[in-house]
Amino acid sequence: MTRVGGQGGSPAAPRAVDVARLAGVSQKTVSRVFNAERYVSDDVRRRVLGAAEELGYRMNSAARALASGRTRSIGVVTLGTALYGPASLLIGIERAARDAGYALRVVNTLEGDRGGVAGAVESLLEQGVDGIVVSEPIDESDEGSVSLSVDVPVLVLGAPATFGGPRAVTAGVGAESLARAATEHLLDLGHVTVHHLAGPQRWFAARDRLGGWRAALSARGRLQPPVLEGDWSAASGYAAGRELASAGDVTAVFAANDDMAIGLIRALTEAGLRVPDDVSVVGFDDIPVSAYVTPPLTTMRQPFDAVAHEGLRLLVQAIEKPDAEPAPANDPPVELVVRASTAPPVARTTPARGRRSASRSNGSAHAPPAGNGPPATD
Amino acid sequence: MTRVGGQGGSPAAPRAVDVARLAGVSQKTVSRVFNAERYVSDDVRRRVLGAAEELGYRMNSAARALASGRTRSIGVVTLGTALYGPASLLIGIERAARDAGYALRVVNTLEGDRGGVAGAVESLLEQGVDGIVVSEPIDESDEGSVSLSVDVPVLVLGAPATFGGPRAVTAGVGAESLARAATEHLLDLGHVTVHHLAGPQRWFAARDRLGGWRAALSARGRLQPPVLEGDWSAASGYAAGRELASAGDVTAVFAANDDMAIGLIRALTEAGLRVPDDVSVVGFDDIPVSAYVTPPLTTMRQPFDAVAHEGLRLLVQAIEKPDAEPAPANDPPVELVVRASTAPPVARTTPARGRRSASRSNGSAHAPPAGNGPPATD
DNA sequence: CGCAGTCATGACAGCGCAGTCATACGGGAC
DNA sequence: GTCCCGTATGACTGCGCTGTCATGACTGCG
C-alpha cells in the first residue's frame, strides 16, 4: 500500500499535503481554503487555489466524510418506474439538493419488493447519508402502515410524514384536496355522480386520491359507484374503460392519473362513446402529452418541482439546524387545467347521440371515427 | 471530538471494534466477515454476525472507501428531464448497479447548462466514484464534440463512446439503424418520401435519428424534404404539425420520439387531415401511452432496460478487470411496433378523402404489406 | 516423525482529511 | 507600555476501516 510515484499507470492523485507543500502552507490551511472557513488571508487563499489548480487537486470526499462525520449527501428512495410523477420529483430533488450543496444517492425499490423501503433506507444509512428522502413510497407491509425509525432527518413525499418516523417532515399539497377539487369540477358541471378509476391502493398517493373523491361525493350526498383499481398504466386504464363502457350509466370519471385516463378514453372511444359528449374524464398530474391527446385532457396539475424544492428546504434545515422549529411547509400552488375532456352531461334521450357540447377552447375535439382496432394490450 | 457515551442524544453508532469485542474476536476479523473474505470459520462468522445484529452495527462506508481506495459506487450523469427515455435508462442503471453491488450517485445536467457534462463528471470524481455513466449527453460545446478525460472507467449511453474519452465503452443499438428501419417501414408502405420531425440536434440521439432517416432516403434515391426540428415535447410536435399541415404534400412523417408524434398527430387532426389515411406517422421510443392514443402509434421500441444492463456489465467489468478485453457489446433486440398510425398512401385524387385502408388488426408487429424491412438488428 | 502447505486469526499501520489546541501577530483601549 | 481580543496559521491527532504481515493450529504426505 505504498503510493506509487510517477511510474506505472497514472500517478497517484495529489492530496492536500501536496498542495500545501507547493503553496508553502500547512495541510490544514489547504483544508481551510477548500471549506471556505474564516481566517484565511487572501494571499494564502490565492496561492493555495493556484497550487491546487496546478496539481489538479480534488478533495477526497471519503476522507472528508470520515473525518467530519458528514457526507454532504442525501439519499433518495424512489420507485423504479418511469412514471412522470416520481421521475419529476427525482429531478426536482436532485436540483434542490445540488443547490444546497448536497450530492444525491439513489436507491430504487421495485414494486412488489417486500420490505423494499426499509431495505433501501438501510442501504442508504450504510452509505452514510446525512438525510433521506422517501419519494412516493408504497405500503408493502402486511401489518398496516410501517414507520421507519432512523437517526437522520427524513423527508417523506407523497405519504404521511409519520411514515418516515416521528421526526420526519413532509411537503406537498394534500393529494386528497386536489382529488376532491377534480371531482367537484365534474359535479359542478352537472354530473349526478362521478366514477373513480383509482391507482393501486398500496400507494399512499392513490389512497389519498380515492379519499378526496369519496369526500367530494359525500359532501354532496351523491352515491359512490364502485371503484375500479388500475396500476397507473394506460393499459390498466384501457381495461377499466371497457368495463365502464359496458356498465352503461357512466357520465363522468375521475382517473387517478393521466396515463390511466388516456387508456380509459381510448376504451370508451372504441366502445362508441364520445368524450366528453357522452362521458367526461378528468385526469391527474398533467403529464406533457395530456394537452395533445384527443380530446385534450382536463387534469389536475401537480407542482412537482415546487414540492421537491420545498421539501428539500425542510430537510436541509433539519440536517443543518436540528433544533430549529420545522418551519411549516408552504403549500405550493395547484391548478386544475380544464381542457376538452370534460363537459356537462347530456340527457340520454337518444340512445347514443347527444347534442354536441359547445365547442371548447383550443381543442376542436374531433371524435375520431369509432372502432379503430384495439391497440396491442401491454 | 470524544465519543459521547450513552448520554445525550443517541448513543454513538457502534463500530467494528465494538462488534469485535462483543464477539470476542479482533476488529480485523469483523472486517473479514463483512467483506465475505475467505478463511473465517463458521463459528466465528456466526458470533460476529450475532454481535453485529445485537448492536445494530452498520459498516461505515466512508472509512471503507478511505482505506480501500474504492467507493463501490457508480456516478450517473443524466439530463434533468422526465422524458421517458432518460428516465427509463436511469432506472435500468440503478437496478443493474445494485445487482452488481454498487451504489448510485446521480448528477443532473440541465439543458442549456454550458459545460454541464464536464462539470457533472468533475463533481462525481470528487465524490470518488469507481465508474461513471454518461446517459444521453448533449453536446453543448461550441468547439464541436467534446471528449472527457478521466481516470475512471466511463460508460456512454446514447452517444459515441469517444465522447467519454479514449477508453470509454458504450452500449445500445445504434439509433441510426433504428431510425433507418422506421423510415423504411414508411417507404415500404409505398410513400414516395418521408418527412422528418427531428429532435434537438445538440442531442446525439437526435442526430443519429436524423442520420438514419437520411440514410434510408438516400439508399432509395428519394428526395429529402426539409427537416423540422422540435425539442422532444408534444408541444413542439404540435407546432411542427401545423407547419406540415399547411405544406400540403405530406403523406408520411417520422418523428424522432413519441411525444412529438403525439403532438404532431393532434395538429394534423385539427387541420382536418386524418392519420393514417392522409398522413402516416411513426414515432420512436414506444412510451407506455403510445398504444392508447388515437390512433395507436406505430413506433420503434427501444430496449432501454437491456441497454442499461448491458452497459453496466461492461462498465463493471472495466472497473473490476481493467485489463480484460472490453467484450463487445451484445446488441439488444429492437422492435418496430406497428399499430394504427401508419398505412399505405392514398392517391390524392379526391382532395381530402381517401379510401380507408384495410383495417389493421390489433397491431403487434404485423408484417405490413410490402416487403417489410427487417427490424434492423444492427 | 518432520516439514510444507493450507486455514484461521490478530497486530499494526495508514488511507486523507477536519477538529482541537497552541501559537503568533497586529491593532485598539486603557 | 500593557492588556486584550480578533485574526491567521500550524502541529498533532484520530475518524473507522482495509492491507500487509506475522503467527499459530491443523492437515497430509513422504
Side-chain angles (χ1 to χ4, degrees):
Chain A
M1 213 166 179
T2 24
R3 284 182 88 76
V4 280
Q7 63 107 22
S10 42
R15 298 152 302 162
V17 281
D18 301 321
V19 175
R21 208 136 38 208
L22 183 56
V25 297
S26 72
Q27 177 267 316
K28 176 66 208 187
T29 295
V30 173
S31 165
R32 285 200 180 91
V33 169
F34 278 86
N35 287 289
E37 286 179 27
R38 292 175 2 175
Y39 305 146
V40 179
S41 67
D42 284 352
D43 173 50
V44 165
R45 186 186 318 277
R46 265 193 298 275
R47 269 167 32 223
V48 167
L49 291 176
E53 173 105 8
E54 185 174 337
L55 295 177
Y57 171 70
R58 254 192 303 265
M59 261 223 337
N60 178 321
S61 66
R64 190 231 280 262
L66 181 57
S68 69
R70 294 190 41 198
T71 56
R72 305 198 139 277
S73 71
I74 287 174
V76 180
V77 179
T78 183
L79 216 41
T81 84
L83 292 171
Y84 183 71
S88 299
L89 276 179
L90 181 57
I91 289 161
I93 291 166
E94 194 277 342
R95 195 172 154 77
R98 190 144 41 87
D99 288 350
Y102 286 81
L104 216 63
R105 316 207 180 174
V106 175
V107 180
N108 287 168
T109 61
L110 288 314
E111 197 160 0
D113 182 11
R114 198 149 285 280
V117 173
V121 166
E122 183 63 24
S123 87
L124 287 174
L125 291 175
E126 200 156 291
Q127 290 181 58
V129 296
D130 294 341
I132 290 181
V133 181
V134 180
S135 172
E136 295 275 8
I138 60 182
D139 184 358
E140 295 278 11
S141 69
D142 289 326
E143 67 273 16
S145 68
V146 296
S147 170
L148 306 169
S149 87
V150 298
D151 260 358
V152 301
V154 174
L155 166 69
V156 180
L157 257 26
T162 55
F163 181 86
R167 300 201 322 275
V169 296
T170 189
V173 246
E176 185 160 334
S177 62
L178 301 190
R180 182 167 177 163
T183 307
E184 282 167 349
H185 165 65
L186 291 167
L187 294 175
D188 290 344
L189 284 171
H191 293 274
V192 175
T193 190
V194 175
H195 283 66
H196 182 44
L197 170 49
Q201 289 299 300
R202 291 176 320 183
W203 289 58
F204 289 99
R207 293 184 199 170
D208 288 347
R209 292 170 203 186
L210 176 63
W213 168 78
R214 282 226 154 86
L217 293 184
S218 294
R220 304 213 187 167
R222 305 301 170 84
L223 110 177
Q224 294 176 16
V227 174
L228 295 170
E229 183 174 327
D231 64 3
W232 298 132
S233 74
S236 72
Y238 181 81
R242 291 176 76 107
E243 277 191 53
L244 288 175
S246 64
D249 60 341
V250 180
T251 71
V253 185
F254 163 44
N257 78 342
D258 284 357
D259 294 75
M260 292 197 296
I262 290 169
L264 174 70
I265 289 173
R266 174 83 200 151
L268 296 176
T269 303
E270 286 182 11
L273 293 167
R274 289 164 312 158
V275 176
D277 305 70
D278 299 318
V279 181
S280 286
V281 176
V282 174
F284 206 97
D285 281 353
D286 195 23
I287 65 177
V289 296
S290 288
Y292 298 93
V293 293
T294 300
L297 195 60
T298 293
T299 186
M300 185 62 76
R301 178 173 297 161
Q302 288 219 79
F304 293 112
D305 204 62
V307 168
H309 274 80
E310 173 66 11
L312 235 82
R313 193 180 63 72
L314 294 173
L315 183 62
V316 168
Q317 184 196 304
I319 291 171
E320 297 179 352
K321 305 197 185 69
D323 302 320
E325 269 313 286
N330 310 326
D331 275 359
V334 307
E335 200 178 339
L336 177 69
V337 184
V338 179
R339 298 206 183 93
S341 68
T342 51
V346 172
R348 284 282 180 80
T349 45
T350 28
R353 191 128 266 273
R355 180 183 43 81
R356 260 206 105 93
S357 66
S359 106
R360 312 169 61 78
S361 62
N362 75 16
S364 26
H366 282 206
N372 234 329
T377 336
D378 194 1
Chain B
M1 209 163 184
T2 25
R3 284 183 89 75
V4 279
Q7 64 107 20
S10 41
R15 298 152 303 162
V17 280
D18 302 321
V19 175
R21 210 141 31 213
L22 183 56
V25 297
S26 74
Q27 181 267 321
K28 175 67 208 187
T29 295
V30 174
S31 165
R32 286 200 179 91
V33 170
F34 278 86
N35 286 289
E37 286 179 26
R38 293 175 5 176
Y39 306 145
V40 179
S41 66
D42 284 351
D43 173 50
V44 166
R45 186 187 319 277
R46 263 192 300 275
R47 271 173 22 228
V48 167
L49 291 176
E53 172 104 9
E54 184 175 337
L55 295 177
Y57 171 71
R58 255 192 302 265
M59 261 225 333
N60 179 321
S61 66
R64 191 231 282 264
L66 181 57
S68 69
R70 294 189 42 199
T71 56
R72 306 200 137 277
S73 72
I74 287 174
V76 180
V77 179
T78 184
L79 216 41
T81 85
L83 291 172
Y84 182 72
S88 299
L89 275 178
L90 181 57
I91 289 161
I93 290 166
E94 194 277 341
R95 194 173 154 76
R98 192 144 39 87
D99 288 349
Y102 287 80
L104 216 64
R105 316 209 180 173
V106 176
V107 180
N108 287 168
T109 62
L110 287 315
E111 196 160 1
D113 181 12
R114 199 148 284 279
V117 173
V121 166
E122 184 63 25
S123 87
L124 288 174
L125 290 175
E126 200 157 291
Q127 292 180 57
V129 295
D130 295 340
I132 291 181
V133 181
V134 180
S135 172
E136 296 274 7
I138 59 182
D139 184 358
E140 296 277 11
S141 69
D142 289 326
E143 68 274 15
S145 68
V146 297
S147 169
L148 306 170
S149 87
V150 298
D151 261 359
V152 301
V154 173
L155 166 69
V156 180
L157 257 26
T162 55
F163 181 87
R167 299 201 324 274
V169 296
T170 189
V173 245
E176 185 160 334
S177 62
L178 300 191
R180 183 167 175 161
T183 308
E184 282 168 350
H185 164 66
L186 291 166
L187 295 175
D188 289 343
L189 285 171
H191 294 275
V192 175
T193 190
V194 175
H195 283 66
H196 182 43
L197 170 49
Q201 290 299 300
R202 291 175 320 181
W203 290 57
F204 290 99
R207 293 184 199 170
D208 287 348
R209 292 170 203 186
L210 176 64
W213 167 79
R214 284 224 153 85
L217 294 183
S218 294
R220 304 212 187 168
R222 305 299 171 83
L223 110 177
Q224 293 177 17
V227 173
L228 294 170
E229 183 173 328
D231 65 2
W232 298 133
S233 74
S236 70
Y238 181 82
R242 291 177 75 105
E243 277 191 54
L244 288 176
S246 64
D249 60 342
V250 180
T251 72
V253 184
F254 163 43
N257 78 342
D258 284 357
D259 294 75
M260 290 196 297
I262 290 169
L264 173 71
I265 289 173
R266 173 84 201 152
L268 296 176
T269 303
E270 285 183 12
L273 293 167
R274 288 164 313 159
V275 177
D277 306 71
D278 299 319
V279 182
S280 286
V281 176
V282 173
F284 206 97
D285 281 354
D286 195 23
I287 66 176
V289 295
S290 288
Y292 299 93
V293 294
T294 300
L297 195 61
T298 294
T299 186
M300 185 61 76
R301 179 173 296 161
Q302 289 221 77
F304 293 112
D305 203 63
V307 168
H309 275 79
E310 174 66 12
L312 235 82
R313 193 180 64 71
L314 293 173
L315 182 62
V316 168
Q317 184 196 305
I319 292 171
E320 296 179 352
K321 305 196 185 69
D323 302 321
E325 270 311 287
N330 309 327
D331 276 356
V334 308
E335 199 179 340
L336 178 69
V337 184
V338 180
R339 299 205 183 92
S341 67
T342 52
V346 173
R348 284 283 179 82
T349 45
T350 29
R353 190 125 268 271
R355 179 184 44 79
R356 250 204 111 97
S357 68
S359 104
R360 312 169 62 76
S361 55
N362 72 17
S364 18
H366 266 216
N372 183 16
T377 321
D378 191 26

